[in-house]
Amino acid sequence: MGPMPNLSPRYRRGASLLSMFTIAIACGRAPVGDSATPQDAPQDTSDAEPALAYEPGGMWMPSQMPAFADTFEAMGFRIAAGDLADPTRFPLGAIVSLGGCSAFFVSPEGLVITNHHCVTGALQHNSSKDRNLLHDGYLARTRSEELWAGPRARVYVTQRMEDVTEQVRGDLAEDVDPRERARAIERRVKDLVAACERGRPEIRCTVRPFFEGAEYHLVEQLEIRDVRLVYAPHAGIGVFGGEVDNWRWPRHTGDFAFLRAYVGPDGKPAEHAADNVPYRPPHHLKVAKAPLAAGDPVFVAGYPGRTYRLKTAHEVREAVEFHYPHLIESFDAQIATLEELAKQDPEVGIKVASRLRGLHNYRTNFQGMLDGLEKGGLAEAKAALEQNLAAWIAADPDRTKTYGSVLDELAALFEAREKTRMRRTAERELLGASDLLDVATTIVDAAYERAKPDAERRPSYQDRNLPNLERWLDALERTYDRRVDAAMLELFVDRARRLPPEDRPTEVLEALLGKDYEGLDAAAVRRRIAALFERTQLEDAKTRKKLFRTARPARLRRSKDPFVRIAMSLRDLREARRAEDEAFSGALDRLRPRYIAALRAHAGKEVAPDANGTLRITFGTVRGYRPAPDADVYEPFTTFRQLAAKHTGKEPFAAPDALLAAIERGTWGPYAAPELGEVPLDFLADLDITGGNSGSATLNAAGELVGLAFDGNYESIASDWLFVPEVTRSIHVDVRAILWILDAVDHGDHLLEEMGVEPSIDAKAPPKAG
């Protein structure tokens, strides 16, 4: 399971395409808020487990947790469900977002734990061909050795969540023009955000839609802007098993890392500076003293990115027929291109490492989605659920009057949109294929938007967001490579040129290659793309930053830079597409709340909104599963000796010597599980997580730290659409594994002591240097 993609101001290629297309492609549960078992889903019909005291599934808002007071008591939680209603109290006050991953404080000195794959950017930022931290890992033995994670690294601490539905949706007329409806909502959201942040530069506010826009909530967060890398284990621990084991069980990956949040000497968030000091969080988690065992109640708190359970059956069908097959094909082509370039030059390999990991992860994820929907019968199950909903509406005159033909109206809206989906998709792919074209488009848009009053600008170009765009420009210094950028642009040009004429993004192709593009052979296309890079000045960081800050439309119209000229020539097209998107969004906004109201009324109980990057809680127990009706049950824990047995010496199963030596010594100290006879490495639970939950704290019945979430099993991937409790499992690093590696392998005694853990293993191996 990967982090949510770290997008450019508008869109990125690769793993970000899911966000780029705004794919509304998933389905709900039966009835909504429940779990379901499709006809073809694996079911355990023998050796049945005792009845559960809870219903698995659900990514719950803190405000919903008091409704589960009885459930928590029945499950044996010692922390009350009501204690999880306030995001500023313990333990939720210790849970943070990294802007794509989750994390949590574990000391009063701002020490943060998250997943290893969530610090890939920090490792990449500090790596070179002579110092590859992505492979070797890193341990700072003093505060002065802690490495800046880069200009885009952030820690967000939630301080307030407030329902602002009335301020956003109130008095919006039913018959208002769809595009005006979308613009009115955008204006109201911007006003709320501006009021929240006014006079408080340390605060970052967002207004997020919940229940498909039926509700809106304002989220206020402290934005910590100086984040530093403290510790990441060797890749043979942090990514052991690689893509072979990704989304699989049994798993033997130590997917964890440490960061530290820094603030200015006055205690307020500040840009990275040598005299900054560690942030002192209001709460931090304590390591559990009682050993975790199968059957124990656990809960996860984190920031899940996106799920799609409240979408319609039509949207599911479109995902199965178009979006996922298209994305998988695109990812395969990108992976092949990038891996070939990485083989040719190790420095390129470092620059594309994060992108490649994201592509691999999302490719596996999307294939699992497709398999679950097609082969697992989940698409059919969703269609059946919607038929039941339609019948329920039709069975009562009052319900018919209230909800009417909302399902038919939504279907008609989606069907109309389908007619141009391939062309729109290809346009967006081409516009996002090149970093430099992306830069040029951002410069052009910023020039036009700056001419407007701040309140009237597109949100991405308001004053509050301009520093984010500059940080993105800065970050390109560590990831941009002409060979990569040209190859990716050539790849997407080739894909676009092979489309049927009615689907081809002709205007974009003509802007890139010329009006004679159809008659060009592959060599001529390559030469024309190469000429763009030879004549551009946007590869120079100072030039692109100066243009971004100072350029005006009149100056850009005179520019001779090829990428700027392309961006200028396509501005009318992009504005037309934006107007179409606004009209579609506004039309959806009129219908979605009525659809959601019907779903919630039909459910007759608490319903979880789809994940949207805000703080959520999911609860369940530590337990294994049976992957197929005739298969053996998977046990819920894996161990380090199993990892050693899996070691081959070749990636992705190449464990570092220090780890293998420690396993061979078998000095497990207080971290061993008595029932296993050694230290547990990873474990399973029936918790409901998705991308963005990576790095989420896993807590026991008392609210103590027992692990962190980092993945799910392959059978669970389609749970973003429909939660199937028999086979949906989350995968977690056991905190005892983290402590043992620090104690016996990498000798991070200072970090153990900072977390309140006394080092106890006198390892014979000498400490490794940072």
Side-chain angles (χ1 to χ4, degrees):
M1 180 171 295
M4 291 298 293
N6 194 4
L7 308 180
S8 83
R10 299 169 301 110
Y11 38 64
R12 306 299 296 153
R13 86 231 13 103
S16 68
L17 288 176
L18 177 62
S19 225
M20 183 182 96
F21 296 147
T22 29
I23 303 175
I25 47 176
C27 51
R29 296 187 271 169
V32 179
D34 290 352
S35 52
T37 304
Q39 183 177 355
D40 297 329
Q43 299 181 52
D44 185 0
T45 56
S46 62
D47 302 324
E49 296 183 57
L52 299 173
Y54 61 99
E55 182 180 346
M59 301 176 187
W60 305 102
M61 299 167 62
S63 60
Q64 293 179 299
M65 290 308 297
F68 298 102
D70 293 342
T71 301
F72 260 46
E73 185 175 351
M75 292 177 68
F77 279 104
R78 296 196 296 280
I79 187 171
D83 290 341
L84 302 177
D86 185 345
T88 67
R89 291 178 55 186
F90 181 86
L92 296 187
I95 311 301
V96 300
S97 169
L98 303 181
C101 281
S102 301
F104 49 93
F105 290 115
V106 290
S107 89
E109 292 290 316
L111 190 64
V112 170
I113 298 182
T114 187
N115 286 152
H116 186 283
H117 71 257
C118 293
V119 303
T120 299
L123 293 167
Q124 181 177 333
H125 181 79
N126 289 285
S127 290
S128 66
K129 62 181 180 181
D130 300 319
R131 187 197 193 205
N132 189 352
L133 303 189
L134 288 160
H135 179 269
D136 299 337
Y138 183 78
L139 174 62
R141 298 198 173 277
T142 65
R143 299 280 170 87
S144 64
E145 292 180 357
E146 295 175 356
L147 302 175
W148 186 38
R152 302 185 75 191
R154 292 290 183 273
V155 169
Y156 296 98
V157 185
T158 297
Q159 297 187 332
R160 178 168 65 104
M161 297 179 73
E162 178 186 347
D163 188 335
V164 293
T165 305
E166 183 60 28
Q167 293 96 308
V168 175
R169 298 193 57 84
D171 69 27
L172 271 179
E174 180 73 10
D175 58 352
V176 69
D177 174 76
R179 190 180 180 199
E180 178 51 38
R181 174 184 289 273
R183 288 183 160 190
I185 289 174
E186 182 180 281
R187 284 195 300 271
R188 295 175 182 193
V189 166
K190 288 191 293 188
D191 288 346
L192 287 165
V193 168
C196 178
E197 294 181 349
R198 189 170 293 120
R200 300 192 297 168
E202 75 280 7
I203 296 298
R204 187 78 176 173
C205 299
T206 56
V207 174
R208 300 290 180 91
F210 290 73
F211 295 107
E212 301 297 296
E215 294 181 10
Y216 285 83
H217 292 252
L218 183 145
V219 181
E220 177 187 308
Q221 295 177 309
L222 186 73
E223 181 185 24
I224 298 175
R225 305 192 296 273
D226 186 353
V227 183
R228 304 185 193 181
L229 176 67
V230 176
Y231 169 55
H234 188 284
I237 297 172
V239 292
F240 184 85
E243 288 306 313
V244 177
D245 276 3
N246 195 18
W247 299 98
R248 306 291 177 180
W249 187 263
R251 195 68 176 274
H252 303 89
T253 310
D255 195 349
F256 70 92
F258 287 68
L259 302 169
R260 194 181 305 277
Y262 278 78
V263 293
D266 60 357
K268 295 181 179 180
E271 297 299 329
H272 174 67
D275 62 346
N276 283 351
V277 299
Y279 170 67
R280 299 191 65 83
H283 304 286
H284 66 276
L285 302 181
K286 302 288 182 65
V287 174
K289 291 183 170 51
L292 186 69
D296 283 355
V298 289
F299 68 96
V300 150
Y303 290 80
R306 296 290 182 269
T307 55
Y308 312 97
R309 295 170 187 164
L310 302 182
K311 305 297 184 182
T312 68
H314 186 100
E315 292 168 285
V316 177
R317 186 169 68 253
E318 187 171 9
V320 171
E321 294 173 356
F322 175 71
H323 285 299
Y324 280 156
H326 178 85
L327 287 168
I328 290 167
E329 181 189 12
S330 171
F331 288 3
D332 285 342
Q334 292 177 69
I335 288 168
T337 300
L338 293 173
E339 288 185 339
E340 181 59 32
L341 289 168
K343 287 178 185 176
Q344 297 172 14
D345 187 338
E347 192 169 358
V348 171
I350 290 172
K351 288 185 175 182
V352 301
S354 181
R355 189 188 305 183
L356 266 175
R357 288 183 185 178
L359 285 167
H360 275 297
N361 184 70
Y362 274 86
R363 197 265 181 234
T364 303
N365 178 279
F366 290 174
Q367 186 64 60
M369 296 277 194
L370 196 56
D371 288 346
L373 290 169
E374 287 188 310
K375 300 174 185 176
L378 297 186
E380 292 180 5
K382 175 58 182 176
L385 298 179
E386 196 161 291
Q387 290 172 2
N388 290 340
L389 177 64
W392 176 81
I393 292 172
D396 182 87
D398 289 338
R399 293 198 291 263
T400 301
K401 181 179 179 180
T402 302
Y403 308 121
S405 57
V406 67
L407 291 172
D408 293 336
E409 291 182 72
L410 282 168
L413 194 62
F414 295 132
E415 286 170 5
R417 184 84 161 170
E418 280 181 16
K419 297 174 183 177
T420 59
R421 68 186 178 189
M422 187 66 251
R423 177 171 51 80
R424 287 184 288 105
T425 296
E427 285 176 354
R428 289 175 174 173
E429 283 184 333
L430 270 180
L431 289 169
S434 157
D435 280 330
L436 292 193
L437 181 55
D438 208 351
V439 167
T441 303
T442 301
I443 289 169
V444 168
D445 286 352
Y448 279 89
E449 292 296 317
R450 273 198 175 97
K452 305 174 186 177
D454 187 65
E456 296 178 15
R457 296 179 196 169
R458 288 159 51 184
S460 295
Y461 296 94
Q462 289 188 285
D463 287 341
R464 66 188 290 269
N465 286 320
L466 293 180
N468 291 340
L469 298 180
E470 292 206 15
R471 282 188 286 270
W472 167 64
L473 293 172
D474 290 339
L476 283 177
E477 278 297 282
R478 298 298 183 110
T479 59
Y480 174 78
D481 184 280
R482 178 185 288 193
R483 293 162 293 181
V484 173
D485 216 39
M488 297 305 286
L489 184 55
E490 185 178 337
L491 169 66
F492 281 100
V493 163
D494 178 64
R495 288 171 60 83
R497 291 209 312 156
R498 288 187 280 110
L499 291 171
E502 65 273 17
D503 292 332
R504 201 176 295 153
T506 300
E507 292 175 82
V508 184
L509 286 169
E510 288 180 350
L512 287 166
L513 302 176
K515 292 187 179 296
D516 62 342
Y517 77 89
E518 290 184 86
L520 301 178
D521 60 18
V525 168
R526 185 172 295 112
R527 286 195 298 271
R528 292 198 181 181
I529 289 176
L532 298 177
F533 289 89
E534 289 166 4
R535 301 199 312 269
T536 188
Q537 295 181 326
L538 296 183
E539 288 181 321
D540 179 69
K542 292 181 179 179
T543 298
R544 60 178 178 250
K545 203 162 184 178
K546 181 179 179 181
L547 274 175
F548 173 75
R549 288 175 173 174
T550 64
R552 297 294 180 265
R555 177 184 174 187
L556 294 176
R557 281 191 286 269
R558 298 191 300 270
S559 174
K560 298 187 184 307
D561 189 285
F563 284 108
V564 173
R565 292 174 68 88
I566 291 168
M568 288 291 287
S569 71
L570 292 173
R571 177 168 166 77
D572 288 346
L573 173 68
R574 291 185 290 104
E575 288 299 299
R577 295 291 178 263
R578 182 167 180 263
E580 292 170 4
D581 291 344
E582 286 177 337
F584 180 69
S585 175
L588 273 182
D589 181 78
R590 184 180 69 84
L591 297 172
R592 290 276 203 200
R594 190 149 43 104
Y595 168 63
I596 294 300
L599 287 176
R600 297 174 82 171
H602 184 220
K605 58 182 177 180
E606 199 75 39
V607 175
D610 272 319
N612 62 357
T614 60
L615 183 60
R616 303 295 181 91
I617 300 100
T618 176
F619 55 87
T621 55
V622 176
R623 60 183 181 128
Y625 73 104
R626 192 185 301 274
D630 58 349
D632 292 336
V633 174
Y634 280 139
E635 295 300 321
F637 288 93
T638 58
T639 68
F640 280 97
R641 285 200 178 105
Q642 292 171 0
L643 179 151
K646 222 173 187 178
H647 167 77
T648 65
K650 295 181 180 180
E651 292 187 0
F653 299 102
D657 291 342
L659 174 63
L660 296 173
I663 295 171
E664 178 67 23
R665 286 193 298 270
T667 305
W668 308 115
Y671 315 115
E675 67 275 16
L676 299 174
E678 60 168 303
V679 176
L681 178 46
D682 297 328
F683 67 88
L684 292 171
D686 59 358
L687 303 181
D688 190 1
I689 67 171
T690 190
N693 268 123
S694 293
S696 294
T698 310
L699 308 176
N700 65 10
E704 299 168 329
L705 181 66
V706 293
L708 70 159
F710 74 96
D711 209 354
N713 59 328
Y714 191 79
E715 297 86 352
S716 76
I717 290 178
S719 67
D720 277 4
W721 311 39
L722 189 73
F723 191 90
V724 183
E726 288 80 7
V727 294
T728 299
R729 295 294 181 271
S730 51
I731 303 176
H732 311 249
V733 182
D734 197 302
V735 73
R736 291 169 288 187
I738 298 173
L739 302 179
W740 182 76
I741 290 171
L742 276 170
D743 202 342
V745 180
D746 283 341
H747 314 290
D749 291 5
H750 58 299
L751 297 180
L752 291 171
E753 291 166 350
E754 185 174 346
M755 291 188 289
V757 177
E758 184 179 351
S760 57
I761 296 176
D762 183 17
K764 296 179 180 179
K768 74 171 186 179

